Amino acid sequence: AAFIDVEDVALRYRPHGAVEGTLAVEGLSLSVAEGEFVAVVGPSGCGKSTLMKLVTGLQFPSAGRVRVAGDAVTGPVNIAGMAFQNPVMLPWRTTAANVLLPMEIVQPHRSNIRRNRASYHERADALLASVGLEGAGEKFPWQLSGGMQQRASLCRALIHEPKLLMLDEPFAALDAFTREELWCVIRDLQAEKGFTTVLVTHDLREAAFLADRVLAMSARPGRILAERTVDLPRPRD
Ligand code: ADP
Ligand code: ADP
């Protein structure tokens, strides 16, 4: 069975009980195998972020079914790590404490985290170092550059060793050099850990560099219009 299984899904947003609302996606189906890296492209407003929210359980379909790891999605999917275009961080927490936030969800007894504070922080610092952020853990997010915050937000998405990595344009705001550096970081991590990844991007070069398969969505209401397997030689092959 597929790791992500989206079957004939529609989602209509109805803010404040609006009668019509916005039909964001309709007839949306896709399946992603375990360990696969899929990129999703499509025009702005076509429902790419909506797809990400449906898969991570932040939105529920008006029609159709969403299953992840064999289970119907009924609430936030804790096996997912998420990173967005805008690396929102809690300004009153250090970068390491921000990176450790998902641990508080998968490890609900916060006393465990407090008791093992040193080992948790070591783990956060090691992950930060792997993306070139040695020593940034003790700084506050607002003391880091935008690109550094974006790296840290990738660490936050990965700290709980998610089986599923959901990336919503996390590289878009970076300079070209940092972007390509982080592509390599993600690609190496994927090869090492074997998690399943869905990446929303506007950058076809990025999609071709990272993904096994590229899915193109139609304009709103979004659905998958076409898909293409990327067959480039990669270091992991
Ligand atoms: P994309 O990520 O491809 O730009 P989105 O999934 O963000 O597209 O949005 C799809 C459509 O749904 C857009 O028309 C957008 O305005 C609308 N939309 C997204 N989120 C909401 C929301 N929370 N409430 C109402 N409409 C929304
Ligand atoms: P905790 O859940 O253990 O209180 P938080 O990281 O939520 O940890 O908060 C750490 C400290 O920052 C707390 O003393 C809290 O009262 C304070 N705090 C919470 N929200 C804000 C905020 N928006 N701005 C500044 N300080 C805050």
Side-chain angles (χ1 to χ4, degrees):
F3 191 72
I4 300 172
D5 199 8
V6 176
E7 215 184 319
D8 201 16
V9 161
L11 178 74
R12 184 181 290 279
Y13 289 107
R14 290 182 194 277
H16 306 297
V19 183
E20 284 280 315
T22 303
L23 184 61
V25 297
E26 189 179 40
L28 174 63
S29 298
L30 74 140
S31 64
V32 179
E34 187 160 12
E36 199 178 9
F37 196 127
V38 161
V40 177
V41 301
S44 171
C46 75
K48 302 182 294 298
S49 297
T50 298
L51 168 62
M52 302 298 262
K53 290 177 198 161
L54 287 161
V55 171
T56 50
L58 303 180
Q59 285 286 350
F60 300 102
S62 319
R65 284 154 303 277
V66 180
R67 298 175 75 83
V68 171
D71 296 323
V73 171
T74 55
V77 173
N78 286 350
I79 60 164
M82 291 176 239
F84 309 94
Q85 184 166 1
N86 182 2
V88 183
M89 305 245 235
L90 302 178
W92 59 88
R93 284 191 168 204
T94 63
T95 301
N98 269 284
V99 167
L100 287 167
L101 275 169
M103 299 306 294
E104 294 169 22
I105 298 159
V106 296
Q107 170 77 267
H109 300 291
R110 292 188 66 181
S111 55
N112 286 342
I113 297 175
R114 290 193 203 285
R115 222 180 357 257
N116 299 307
R117 192 178 181 283
S119 69
Y120 275 97
H121 275 255
E122 232 168 73
R123 181 166 158 180
D125 287 337
L127 194 53
L128 285 164
S130 75
V131 298
L133 289 181
E134 296 82 2
E138 298 320 303
K139 297 210 166 108
F140 286 90
W142 40 267
Q143 295 176 297
L144 306 182
S145 71
M148 292 165 87
Q149 288 186 41
Q150 195 56 267
R151 288 167 197 247
S153 80
L154 274 178
C155 294
R156 179 176 56 190
L158 292 163
I159 189 78
H160 58 309
E161 306 203 325
K163 287 189 154 46
L164 177 59
L165 186 60
M166 301 296 283
L167 304 176
D168 197 344
E169 295 195 58
F171 311 114
L174 300 174
D175 66 87
F177 180 78
T178 304
R179 187 183 308 133
E180 298 197 5
E181 208 175 45
L182 286 187
W183 291 354
C184 294
V185 167
I186 285 295
R187 197 184 52 183
D188 293 349
L189 273 169
Q190 164 101 14
E192 185 193 338
K193 310 265 186 199
F195 42 67
T196 306
T197 308
V198 180
L199 166 73
V200 166
T201 182
H202 280 111
D203 183 343
L204 291 176
R205 210 165 64 86
E206 176 173 301
F209 185 82
L210 286 171
D212 303 310
R213 192 153 56 102
V214 182
L215 307 178
M217 286 178 73
S218 64
R220 179 167 67 84
R223 62 192 172 79
I224 306 299
L225 269 188
E227 66 168 71
R228 170 164 274 176
T229 304
V230 181
D231 209 6
L232 295 175
R234 273 165 237 227
R236 72 167 180 262
D237 293 335

